[in-house]
Amino acid sequence: MKDFFKMTFASCLGVILASGVVLILFFTFLTATVSGIASSLQGEPKSKPTLNNGSVLLLDMEGPLSDQYVVDYFDFLANKGNQTNFALPQILRAIEGAKENPKIEAIVLRLEKCQMGFATAHQLRSALEEFKQSGKKIYAYSDMYYGYGNYYVSSLADKIYASPKATLGITGLSSTVLFQRGFLEKLGVKMEVYKVGTFKGAVEPYVLDKLSDANRMQIQTYLDGLWEGTMAQIATNRNISTGTIQAYADSAVFMKGIENALERGLIDSLVYDTDIDRVLARDILGDESADLNTLRVNELLRHEKKGGGGNIAILYAEGNIVDTEPEDNPFAMTDNQIDPRIARQLAELADDDDVDAVVFRINSGGGSARMSELIAREVVKLKERKPIVVSMGDYAASGGYYIASNADKILADPYTLTGSIGIFGLIPNFTGTANKLALTHDTVKTAEMADLLDPLRPSTPQEKAVMQEMIEEGYDEFLTRVSEGRDMTKAQVDSVAQGRVWLGSAALELGLVDQLGGLQDAVVEAARLAELDEYRVTDYTLAKSWSEMFFGINLSETIKTLTLSPEEKVMKAVNQMTKNMSGIQAVPPYPLTNIQMDAPRTVYHLD
């Protein structure tokens, strides 16, 4: 028997040791694989480009251009060989470095695969204008498609080239709101709405069939400001009239061929893709047979000099404001969001003696009123210890403005969508749905309003009064926050609030922001407030797990969704709608993703 136990123990020990070896080998292989993929992604080819005299900075980004770098670890499968997506701060630093570096001769723009919001486009354009003012040249080319956003940036180039088969899709701007009241009625769902603010139109799709006059007016005003401002800048750079651009958009002449853009002075010359390198070599180096030495953003940043002195931290807050953090799951994946981690990060920066000032970069249309208040409170506490400057990106509206309002200084781009000071609450009532399905329910309770949020019955007049009172108290708290932060009376804030959105340029006139400028301007202002002559800049972003970065999808949720029955999928959709829209919200009056700035054949959104 003893021998039996010895042999059994030895066998088990052998299995355990063998399993351990296998696991070690597996994770060694996995680490090597991930490292290889990561180095491939980071754009580090076997022979790194060198910075020589006559070099060119190539901006050929792909995908949405945002404040934070989005990792795609599977780029290497497409044999791209080079990193093609960068965060806006990286690009701005590279342009600044190219301006100062005597070895960089010019910048070449190939932005046909890049999408960006208006404020982002304006900041990129402003950096390129400063580059031009140094006496260096900029050239733009597209072999496929100039959308309005990337053409707006490219229009300041010294020469704009396009393929004879390319398209210049300038058709004006439009915003479409999908109304769901009729659809919800067919499902037996009725939304009970509680709001404060004449212009708080986010609830309209659930209770109306078309835009209210107030909401239509504010959307039209916003779009007109974007269109007229960008069109005027394009006209100035191209030495043409705004009427020429307006006529081009009104007649949809882009569909008749790129020659029409050439005739109207919107581009300079037509060049096939196989010839553009030769043409650029002629323009930049004076020799069409020369080879252009091109460097991308990450390759030029390797030569960036690190600053000394003080330390300015940039904290990025991008996405919807939500109450909960991403689920604690090794395979969980979420889009950018603003959650309790941002509040904790602000508290840590306040306590960090190595940080002299903070730039709080906000790109958000708002969300949870509760979380907005928590973050705003941390902004106030940080301001008591060191300067904090807010830099607004494409939008900082509703909750996004709430968390910005108490900073020492607020900077916005002229095209930033901001304001929307107001809140609302939505409670879906599924009584009709239950009736259609012959479902009944009964309730036992110990207090009059114990079932206040019961979705299977309509609210009583008393309950509606309680909900409306809570919304109005929340609005008053919003006014108070802004009043204290902006040194305005509550009446003054209310006069520009009511849920209305404003362009950054208008927000400056109304006292909602302190000055117009981009992220770099905010850094300079933070250094001034902290009395720093020399400083370095440190980026702070919310780290994601290795599995989130590697897989790029929520594997657990994907597997669950694939195994759901049709009925379960419908119920999941209803539950998600209830989860997203119930409770008190501070969001803009209409979706931020529905502003179409390009021709129908290729849709780019303000995302």
Side-chain angles (χ1 to χ4, degrees), residues 234-266:
I234 292 172
T236 299
N237 285 115
R238 297 303 302 164
N239 195 27
I240 59 178
S241 69
T242 55
T244 298
I245 303 172
Q246 185 69 55
Y248 185 92
D250 287 338
S251 59
V253 73
F254 76 94
M255 300 185 70
K256 299 179 181 179
I258 195 70
E259 294 80 6
N260 290 279
L262 181 64
E263 293 170 2
R264 290 164 173 77
L266 293 168

Side-chain angles (χ1 to χ4, degrees), residues 271-283:
V271 180
Y272 281 101
D273 188 42
T274 51
D275 296 327
I276 189 60
D277 287 344
R278 177 177 56 80
V279 172
L280 290 175
R282 180 201 65 196
D283 292 344

Side-chain angles (χ1 to χ4, degrees), residues 15-35:
V15 170
I16 293 172
L17 291 175
S19 299
V21 172
V22 170
L23 285 173
I24 292 172
L25 291 175
F26 170 74
F27 281 109
T28 301
F29 172 76
L30 180 62
T31 301
T33 302
V34 172
S35 299

Side-chain angles (χ1 to χ4, degrees), residues 274-528:
T274 51
D275 296 327
I276 189 60
D277 287 344
R278 177 177 56 80
V279 172
L280 290 175
R282 180 201 65 196
D283 292 344
I284 298 171
L285 303 177
D287 181 4
E288 65 179 30
S289 63
D291 291 329
L292 282 176
N293 183 43
T294 59
L295 293 91
R296 288 177 169 81
V297 170
N298 58 326
E299 295 161 349
L300 183 59
L301 289 180
R302 293 194 190 105
H303 304 275
E304 184 181 28
K305 294 181 180 179
K306 303 299 181 182
N311 182 24
I312 296 177
I314 302 180
L315 177 62
Y316 296 91
E318 191 167 15
N320 293 328
I321 301 176
V322 299
D323 288 321
T324 58
E325 299 178 30
E327 55 185 308
D328 187 15
N329 184 324
F331 295 110
M333 174 65 183
T334 61
D335 295 327
N336 287 332
Q337 66 179 43
I338 302 172
D339 55 44
R341 293 174 296 171
I342 290 290
R344 290 199 300 270
Q345 189 82 74
L346 287 166
E348 290 171 7
L349 290 172
D351 291 336
D352 192 340
D353 294 333
D354 189 45
V355 173
D356 299 286
V358 175
V359 171
F360 193 21
R361 175 69 170 185
I362 299 174
N363 238 321
S364 174
S368 164
R370 188 193 75 84
M371 185 51 55
S372 297
E373 167 60 19
L374 179 63
I375 294 172
R377 178 174 174 271
E378 292 301 327
V379 169
V380 172
K381 291 168 63 179
L382 189 150
K383 185 171 68 170
E384 294 171 353
R385 303 181 63 177
K386 61 192 66 173
I388 177 169
V389 176
V390 162
S391 170
M392 293 179 170
D394 288 320
Y395 43 88
S398 249
Y401 184 77
Y402 193 110
I403 65 177
S405 59
N406 279 261
D408 289 290
K409 294 287 183 181
I410 302 177
L411 278 71
D413 185 87
Y415 299 136
T416 297
L417 184 148
T418 189
S420 191
I421 300 171
I423 66 174
F424 69 90
L426 285 176
I427 300 178
N429 175 9
F430 293 96
T431 302
T433 307
N435 292 338
K436 289 177 182 290
L437 299 175
L439 296 174
T440 61
H441 79 299
D442 204 352
T443 303
V444 177
K445 56 185 180 180
T446 62
E448 185 64 28
M449 294 190 187
D451 58 342
L452 173 64
L453 299 179
D454 186 347
L456 293 178
R457 66 168 179 81
S459 299
T460 66
Q462 183 182 6
E463 290 169 337
K464 289 180 178 180
V466 170
M467 285 297 299
Q468 185 62 38
E469 183 181 359
M470 182 173 64
I471 294 297
E472 290 175 0
E473 289 176 354
Y475 180 65
D476 185 72
E477 185 177 27
F478 202 157
L479 295 181
T480 301
R481 272 289 182 206
V482 177
S483 171
E484 294 171 348
R486 302 304 303 159
D487 194 23
M488 301 166 66
T489 67
K490 289 170 69 172
Q492 287 175 320
V493 177
D494 184 53
S495 68
V496 298
Q498 295 293 318
R500 183 165 181 179
V501 297
W502 305 94
L503 283 172
S505 53
L508 176 65
E509 298 175 2
L510 298 172
L512 296 177
V513 304
D514 295 293
Q515 68 184 73
L516 300 180
L519 182 58
Q520 292 170 310
D521 298 305
V523 170
V524 171
E525 180 63 17
R528 186 188 70 80

Side-chain angles (χ1 to χ4, degrees), residues 35-323:
S35 299
I37 294 172
S39 63
S40 172
L41 174 72
Q42 294 301 322
E44 297 187 10
K46 293 180 180 178
S47 57
K48 296 181 181 179
T50 57
L51 182 58
N52 302 323
N53 289 328
S55 295
V56 172
L57 173 61
L58 174 64
L59 299 182
D60 61 345
M61 297 82 69
E62 295 185 13
L65 181 54
S66 64
D67 288 342
Q68 300 181 71
Y69 173 53
V70 179
V71 177
D72 181 356
Y73 281 103
F74 293 96
D75 267 358
F76 77 102
L77 294 176
N79 292 319
K80 292 180 179 179
N82 292 290
Q83 185 177 337
T84 54
N85 59 334
F86 303 95
L88 177 64
Q90 290 177 297
I91 298 169
L92 298 180
R93 294 205 318 269
I95 294 173
E96 176 68 20
K99 181 183 74 173
E100 302 296 335
N101 198 312
K103 293 183 178 181
I104 297 294
E105 192 73 24
I107 288 179
V108 173
L109 306 175
R110 297 198 61 164
L111 303 177
E112 60 262 30
K113 297 180 181 178
C114 183
Q115 305 103 50
M116 65 195 87
F118 281 103
T120 296
H122 183 259
Q123 290 180 50
L124 178 57
R125 198 177 192 277
S126 297
L128 291 169
E129 281 184 313
E130 291 185 11
F131 175 87
K132 270 187 75 172
Q133 291 170 4
S134 69
K136 298 181 180 183
K137 301 289 186 181
I138 298 175
Y139 301 90
Y141 179 73
S142 175
D143 67 334
M144 295 187 305
Y145 182 71
Y146 278 114
Y148 188 64
N150 53 50
Y151 178 75
Y152 166 64
V153 175
S154 301
S155 64
L156 57 74
D158 294 275
K159 293 286 184 181
I160 301 179
Y161 296 111
S163 165
K165 296 300 180 183
T167 301
L168 176 55
I170 299 178
T171 59
L173 307 177
S174 66
S175 177
T176 301
V177 178
L178 180 66
F179 290 84
Q180 305 167 36
R181 189 185 74 165
F183 171 71
L184 292 174
E185 286 179 351
K186 289 182 180 295
L187 296 177
V189 180
K190 181 180 180 180
M191 285 290 188
E192 296 182 354
V193 175
Y194 308 89
K195 69 166 186 169
V196 178
T198 303
F199 297 94
K200 206 63 179 176
V203 300
E204 290 185 356
Y206 305 102
V207 295
L208 300 178
D209 297 318
K210 63 179 182 178
L211 294 170
S212 67
D213 291 340
N215 200 13
R216 178 179 293 278
M217 182 271 286
Q218 76 165 335
I219 295 174
Q220 188 68 58
T221 301
Y222 175 69
L223 292 181
D224 287 344
L226 291 175
W227 176 242
E228 292 167 5
T230 53
M231 187 168 55
Q233 289 178 284
I234 292 172
T236 299
N237 285 115
R238 297 303 302 164
N239 195 27
I240 59 178
S241 69
T242 55
T244 298
I245 303 172
Q246 185 69 55
Y248 185 92
D250 287 338
S251 59
V253 73
F254 76 94
M255 300 185 70
K256 299 179 181 179
I258 195 70
E259 294 80 6
N260 290 279
L262 181 64
E263 293 170 2
R264 290 164 173 77
L266 293 168
I267 60 175
D268 293 295
S269 184
L270 301 179
V271 180
Y272 281 101
D273 188 42
T274 51
D275 296 327
I276 189 60
D277 287 344
R278 177 177 56 80
V279 172
L280 290 175
R282 180 201 65 196
D283 292 344
I284 298 171
L285 303 177
D287 181 4
E288 65 179 30
S289 63
D291 291 329
L292 282 176
N293 183 43
T294 59
L295 293 91
R296 288 177 169 81
V297 170
N298 58 326
E299 295 161 349
L300 183 59
L301 289 180
R302 293 194 190 105
H303 304 275
E304 184 181 28
K305 294 181 180 179
K306 303 299 181 182
N311 182 24
I312 296 177
I314 302 180
L315 177 62
Y316 296 91
E318 191 167 15
N320 293 328
I321 301 176
V322 299
D323 288 321

